[in-house]
Amino acid sequence: NAGVTQTPKFRILKIGQSMTLQCTQDMNHNYMYWYRQDPGMGLKLIYYSVGAGITDKGEVPNGYNVSRSTTEDFPLRLELAAPSQTSVYFCASSYTTGFYEQYFGPGTRLTVT
Amino acid sequence: AQRVTQPEKLLSVFKGAPVELKCNYSYSGSPELFWYVQYSRQRLQLLLRHISRESIKGFTADLNKGETSFHLKKPFAQEEDSAMYYCALGGYQKVTFGTGTKLQVIP
């Protein structure tokens, strides 16, 4: 089992560019999450999904979009990148509700200049 | 609303000294609490959860519903304990994380 994988590991974007962060899990988990980690701010939830075809906003969804067409994949789309989106992005999954352990990917370090 | 508070951003202790990382929560139902750890250049991973009542790597955490706390403790700190520690509160659909405490163990 690879667990949760994310690509790319690093990326530098110019202001106004767009990109998609990929996330895949092979544990057949229903729940998937996207977080951003800013220094001193901990983890902030961007979007989450409770199953294929179902997504919902977290604390900080502005500037991002998601889709969940399969159980395995949960890509995060950044439209019109801004410097405020410079962060480390983590994808996570869990078997079911938030009462269960979350499994994290290795993260994507994004810089917008 | 769910809320998790970790009051210390940085905690420095000497090797062999006791460690206590503080966590307080706010939740109207019956809480499910976790501690996650992130070692340097590694992904976050579960350290322990209150329902399992396990001791992992010498760490323990007791849920105190009266004080709404879930402090993480270890009697004797080791250098390999240096890491970022996050307290987390599980809910029906999502988990709320605290802002994290960086533990620095001084040799």
Side-chain angles (χ1 to χ4, degrees):
Chain A
N1 276 354
V4 180
T5 58
Q6 291 182 239
T7 56
K9 290 187 177 179
F10 305 95
R11 184 72 186 268
I12 299 174
L13 280 182
K14 294 189 185 304
I15 294 171
Q17 287 185 320
S18 300
M19 75 164 295
T20 299
L21 280 66
Q22 301 292 344
C23 175
T24 299
Q25 54 91 9
D26 63 359
M27 296 174 283
N28 202 31
H29 284 171
N30 292 312
Y31 284 53
M32 295 187 74
Y33 308 83
W34 274 106
Y35 297 93
R36 57 178 289 171
Q37 183 185 43
D38 300 320
M41 302 297 289
L43 292 167
K44 298 286 187 184
L45 182 64
I46 305 171
Y47 271 95
Y48 66 100
S49 169
V50 302
I54 306 169
T55 62
D56 208 349
K57 297 178 181 179
E59 296 176 78
V60 290
N62 291 343
Y64 307 94
N65 276 301
V66 294
S67 60
R68 183 100 181 267
S69 56
T70 66
T71 299
E72 295 78 19
D73 300 307
F74 190 42
L76 178 71
R77 177 85 178 159
L78 278 72
E79 306 282 1
L80 299 174
S84 60
Q85 293 177 304
T86 294
S87 188
V88 180
Y89 291 83
F90 288 100
C91 180
S93 72
S94 64
Y95 172 62
T96 180
T97 68
F99 296 117
Y100 285 77
E101 175 184 358
Q102 294 200 344
Y103 295 81
F104 283 82
T108 295
R109 187 174 295 274
L110 176 68
T111 302
V112 182
T113 62
Chain B
Q2 294 180 211
R3 182 174 293 175
V4 177
T5 303
Q6 292 180 255
E8 303 137 330
K9 288 193 173 185
L10 173 66
L11 182 65
S12 297
V13 300
F14 286 101
K15 178 181 173 180
V19 174
E20 183 179 47
L21 300 171
K22 293 186 178 355
C23 172
N24 288 89
Y25 67 91
S26 174
Y27 187 63
S28 56
S30 183
E32 180 64 39
L33 286 149
F34 307 83
W35 277 100
Y36 284 83
V37 61
Q38 186 179 27
Y39 300 104
S40 180
R41 300 181 186 280
Q42 294 187 28
R43 67 184 73 190
L44 277 89
Q45 57 188 288
L46 181 68
L47 180 62
L48 55 80
R49 55 187 297 182
H50 93 271
I51 198 169
S52 66
R53 295 188 172 275
E54 288 180 308
S55 173
I56 307 295
K57 299 185 179 183
F59 284 97
T60 58
D62 290 318
L63 176 61
N64 185 324
K65 290 187 178 181
E67 296 182 358
T68 59
S69 68
F70 189 56
H71 303 327
L72 184 68
K73 299 178 183 179
K74 185 170 182 176
F76 307 104
Q78 303 297 315
E79 289 181 64
E80 56 265 29
D81 296 329
S82 294
M84 195 74 180
Y85 291 81
Y86 290 95
C87 182
L89 171 63
Y92 180 66
Q93 288 186 323
K94 53 192 177 184
V95 176
T96 300
F97 285 84
T99 51
T101 298
K102 183 175 182 179
L103 176 62
Q104 181 179 60
V105 181
I106 304 165

